[in-house]
Amino acid sequence: MTKKVCMIVTNGFEEIEAIGTYAILRRGGLDVDIYSLAGSEATGRFGVTCAKLTPFNQIDTAHYDALVIPGGPQFKELEADAHVQQTIRDFMDTGRITAAICAGPTILGRAGYLKGRKYTCFTAMNQDFGGIYQEDYAVKDGNVITGKSAAATIDFAFMVLEAVAGKETADQTKKEIYYK
């Protein structure tokens, strides 16, 4: 059975974090569905519009092995949305992979999910989340994966891929990208 990942975006998402992560996870054979708070589209912070997205109000978290939250200015709207908060809680409460990059980990931190964990995020967004901040591009602590910034997208995406599909799949996908 193919593993499934859902990603949540809205207007203002960081294009490289969303699209780069999506591409690597798909190359690794995962099904990835992108849900948008903005309906069936979302426009990134640099003007790239993604169409044919699934409206967020249609999400059913039971069908997914992992959740990915890209960063960008969108984090404020995602954080303020009660349904997004419930979705994160669903993943955290069931121990499924919950991944966020750049400004995205701020949502996890403010909700208390980074307490006692190693994590990273965009340096300027780091607050006292009760965890142990790391300067690494990507950090995994239990079921939580965090990424530092847009520059960390590839490391972050491969960490998510390995957590969901296994080391062998991640290594094979790296070979295809780096060596073919």
Side-chain angles (χ1 to χ4, degrees):
M1 185 198 264
T2 303
K3 299 284 187 163
K4 295 187 73 165
V5 175
C6 63
M7 182 182 293
I8 305 171
V9 299
T10 195
N11 294 323
F13 70 90
E14 182 69 47
E15 288 95 338
I16 193 169
E17 295 165 7
I19 296 167
T21 300
Y22 176 89
I24 287 173
L25 297 178
R26 292 290 296 134
R27 282 178 180 262
L30 301 180
D31 282 343
V32 182
D33 294 327
I34 303 176
Y35 289 86
S36 172
L37 265 65
S40 62
E41 294 186 346
T43 300
R45 70 183 290 194
F46 297 110
V48 173
T49 298
C50 293
K52 297 183 181 177
L53 304 178
T54 305
F56 181 66
N57 63 6
Q58 296 178 20
I59 196 168
D60 181 353
T61 62
H63 299 291
Y64 295 99
D65 301 289
L67 168 66
V68 173
I69 302 170
Q74 73 160 0
F75 89 93
K76 293 175 186 173
E77 188 174 342
L78 295 181
E79 182 177 39
D81 189 280
H83 191 195
V84 170
Q85 290 291 339
Q86 181 59 52
T87 298
I88 294 167
R89 195 167 22 263
D90 289 348
F91 279 86
M92 291 301 297
D93 288 352
T94 56
R96 289 176 286 166
I97 297 297
T98 305
I101 184 169
C102 197
T106 301
I107 300 168
L108 302 179
R110 290 181 184 164
Y113 297 119
L114 299 179
K115 284 187 175 138
R117 295 181 188 267
K118 293 179 183 173
Y119 72 93
T120 193
C121 64
F122 190 68
T123 304
M125 302 289 301
N126 187 34
Q127 300 172 8
D128 182 5
F129 298 128
I132 305 156
Y133 180 77
Q134 308 285 293
E135 285 292 338
D136 301 319
Y137 265 10
V139 175
K140 182 176 185 297
D141 190 331
N143 66 312
V144 176
I145 297 172
T146 51
K148 187 170 185 63
S149 64
T153 299
I154 291 174
D155 291 354
F156 171 78
F158 276 118
M159 191 172 281
V160 173
L161 179 60
E162 183 173 330
V164 176
K167 183 169 176 32
E168 185 177 318
T169 297
D171 288 346
Q172 182 60 37
T173 305
K174 284 179 188 176
K175 272 186 182 178
E176 291 171 6
I177 290 174
Y178 292 119
Y179 305 114
K180 288 188 177 181

